[in-house]
Each structure stands twice: as C-alpha cells, then as structure tokens.
Amino acid sequence: MRVPERLTVAVGLLDVRPGDRVLEIGCGRGVAAGLILDGLPDGEYVGLDRSDVAVTAASERNADAVAAGRATFVHTALADADTDALGRFDKILAVDVNVFWTGPAARELEVVAGLLRPSGSLVLCYAPPDPEQVARVKGLLLTHLSDAGFIATATTHPLAGDASLLTVVATVAQLPGATVDEAPGE
C-alpha cells in the first residue's frame, strides 16, 4: 500500500526520539502508526480512534508491535479518553482531525494538556483540499490553542501538485516558577 505523502511528512515533523511515548489522535487504520513505530525501536506508541473498525484494522496492521507491547490501540473519542490510564506523552500527533479547528475543542485540548509531559509537543497537521482554506484553518487553530493555554507556531509544507500541509506545533504554556511536574491548572 502506498503511504500518503501527508502522513510521511507529518511523521517526519513529529521528530520521534528513542524512548519517546507517542500518542496519535485519530489513528485510523494504522498507516502513520507503522511509520512512527519504524522510528521508535524502544519507545511506546498509543493510537486513539473513535471508530472501532479503525482500531481493529490498525491493531491488525501493526500486529507485531502490539504483540511486542510497543503499540496499543484504544477505541475512544479524545474528549472521553481516560488520561490517568493513558499516562503522559512526549509527542502527540493528529493528522486531519478536524475537531481542533471546527470548534473551540476546549474539552479535547484540556485532555491533550493532561496527556502531554511538560516538555512534550502537540503536532497538528492538515491537508485542506482547497488551498484557500489553509489561512482560515491556521487562524482558527492558533486561536483555539491560545485560548486553551498552548503556545503554538504554524508552518506550511508543500506537497505534490498544488497541495500543502499545514502544520501547527504546540506546547502547554508553563507558568513562571512552575516546576517540571507542574502545569497550569494543576
């Protein structure tokens, strides 16, 4: 199966390091999971998806990593995720997960903030079908992230044809004087 270019670029931008704990929101059928796991020989990957069919397909596609305890796929909506059970992550990736720009996503971003380690990063990637949408989606994402207490930067990466990949990298803003174990709101 051919891997979509947007997934290859998104996973490359995630900058996975050995030993990282990586969460993918909207893991779909596990294509990006396979790319992430290839660069994560001794870390851990968790994929969330609200579709049970997708979780089953992702688990089957990445069966060796699941059997080795390197990958887990969870059927849940992000807003309903059990942050205590999932733990904290170094990197969180979401590709074309529209909830972050179609509305304030306050609950979802609260969950993300609870899942990120203090030095962790959230990487949101979108390949809008209409190039004219990029500026609109970028503005909404940056506003929603800022409103939820994140510091974010956006870049655009060219894809084949006239397409482009909008990438937003965000971290949870830290209060001055906060220790590594503290985050705003704790």
Side-chain angles (χ1 to χ4, degrees):
M1 177 188 151
R2 185 179 144 313
V3 175
E5 182 184 17
R6 74 182 188 289
L7 295 181
T8 303
V9 172
V11 169
L13 294 169
L14 192 58
D15 193 29
V16 174
R17 306 282 181 186
D20 275 352
R21 287 196 80 228
V22 178
L23 173 69
E24 183 183 8
I25 300 165
C27 64
R29 302 177 76 66
V31 176
L35 295 173
I36 292 167
L37 287 160
D38 285 347
L40 196 62
D42 59 352
E44 182 184 1
Y45 168 93
V46 177
L48 301 182
D49 204 290
R50 61 185 180 177
S51 165
D52 192 39
V53 172
V55 168
T56 298
S59 296
E60 290 170 358
R61 177 185 296 273
N62 297 283
D64 290 345
V66 171
R70 296 178 47 234
T72 305
F73 295 91
V74 181
H75 174 223
T76 187
L78 177 59
D80 300 328
D82 182 345
T83 57
D84 292 332
L86 291 171
R88 309 282 297 267
F89 294 88
D90 301 291
K91 311 276 173 56
I92 297 178
L93 174 67
V95 178
D96 292 328
V97 176
N98 293 334
V99 70
F100 296 109
W101 72 270
T102 58
R107 172 65 186 141
E108 290 82 1
L109 289 169
E110 177 185 344
V111 170
V112 168
L115 291 169
L116 270 177
R117 289 187 171 144
S119 60
S121 59
L122 169 65
V123 178
L124 303 175
C125 298
Y126 297 88
D130 178 0
E132 299 298 319
Q133 280 188 302
V134 172
R136 178 174 170 262
V137 172
K138 174 183 171 181
L140 290 166
L141 285 169
L142 292 174
T143 297
H144 297 162
L145 287 162
S146 177
D147 290 349
F150 286 81
I151 298 170
T153 57
T155 55
T156 305
H157 304 270
L159 298 176
D162 290 335
S164 61
L165 184 70
L166 170 63
T167 303
V168 177
V169 178
T171 57
V172 177
Q174 299 293 316
L175 295 173
T179 66
V180 174
D181 295 321
E182 294 176 335
E186 286 190 303

